[in-house]
Amino acid sequence: MEEVEDLFHDKVTQDDIFVLGCSTSEIAGGRIGKASRPEFGMLLVKALVEKTKKLNLFLAVQGCEHINRSLVIERKAAIKYDLEIVSVIPALHAGGGAAVAAYQLFEDPVMVEFVSASAGIDIGETHIGMHIKHVQIPVRFEKNQLGFARVNGLSSRPKLIGGERAQYSH
């Protein structure tokens, strides 16, 4: 977890949304959506809740395709970012182990259809890109395996608007 914090430290700011997409099936060596392991989801989400709270970030946990990749997020984040709350509760085979864990662990969980997050982690090819701001930047981990699942990260930066005479802050 320290590597995650180090890699994302300068890519997020207070109150940003940080997305977790996670296939506990892939971690266990199964095929995505076919061998869910709720205990893996609980361990991961618990650790990320602690880290994101420490960094003053809002954690959003993406559910699987059976709930249209909607996300579990704290109600106060949904209100702050004017996110539309949807009517679904994640279940093991319609949401996945990580989303179920988030729904159980969050203080006041709600489900939203979309977010525009600054960064996130994808464990097991869950494809979180639809929930990350443009322009997306890959974040590479030295240890890019968790169990049998591949781990990738995404961050974002503001778009560079203008032409050859434009000046940028970075």
Side-chain angles (χ1 to χ4, degrees):
M1 277 298 168
E2 292 306 317
E3 180 187 9
V4 171
E5 191 173 342
D6 291 345
L7 285 171
F8 285 101
H9 185 265
D10 64 342
K11 296 172 175 56
V12 293
T13 59
Q14 182 173 328
D15 289 340
D16 278 352
I17 298 173
F18 189 88
V19 171
L20 169 65
C22 175
S23 169
T24 60
S25 299
E26 291 280 330
I27 294 170
R31 189 170 161 196
I32 194 167
K34 302 296 183 194
S36 293
R37 298 290 298 268
E39 64 275 19
F40 292 173
M42 189 60 76
L43 288 169
L44 275 166
V45 172
K46 197 176 222 182
L48 272 175
V49 164
E50 290 175 16
K51 287 293 181 187
T52 53
K53 278 186 180 180
K54 179 180 171 186
L55 296 171
N56 295 309
L57 302 173
F58 291 112
L59 179 61
V61 180
Q62 177 182 280
C64 73
E65 66 180 296
H66 295 99
I67 57 172
N68 297 328
R69 292 193 173 83
S70 59
L71 305 106
V72 184
I73 195 164
E74 293 286 1
R75 183 179 304 275
K76 62 184 173 185
I79 291 168
K80 178 179 178 69
Y81 288 103
D82 196 28
L83 303 173
E84 187 172 349
I85 296 172
V86 296
S87 295
V88 69
I89 296 173
L92 192 57
H93 299 291
V100 168
Y103 205 84
Q104 292 171 356
L105 290 169
F106 284 13
E107 292 174 22
D108 189 10
V110 295
M111 298 296 294
V112 297
E113 191 171 7
F114 300 105
V115 299
S116 184
S118 297
I121 297 174
D122 185 323
I123 301 170
E125 308 297 334
T126 61
H127 300 290
I128 62 169
M130 65 189 288
H131 297 301
I132 306 294
K133 294 176 185 178
H134 294 119
V135 171
Q136 297 170 1
I137 303 165
V139 176
R140 291 180 173 77
F141 298 100
E142 189 175 310
K143 296 177 183 174
N144 64 357
Q145 290 286 130
L146 183 58
F148 292 91
R150 191 163 61 162
V151 180
N152 299 298
L154 278 176
S155 68
S156 61
R157 65 159 172 79
K159 295 177 183 179
L160 301 176
I161 303 296
E164 62 187 40
R165 290 186 267 176
Q167 296 181 15
Y168 304 106
S169 60
H170 291 78

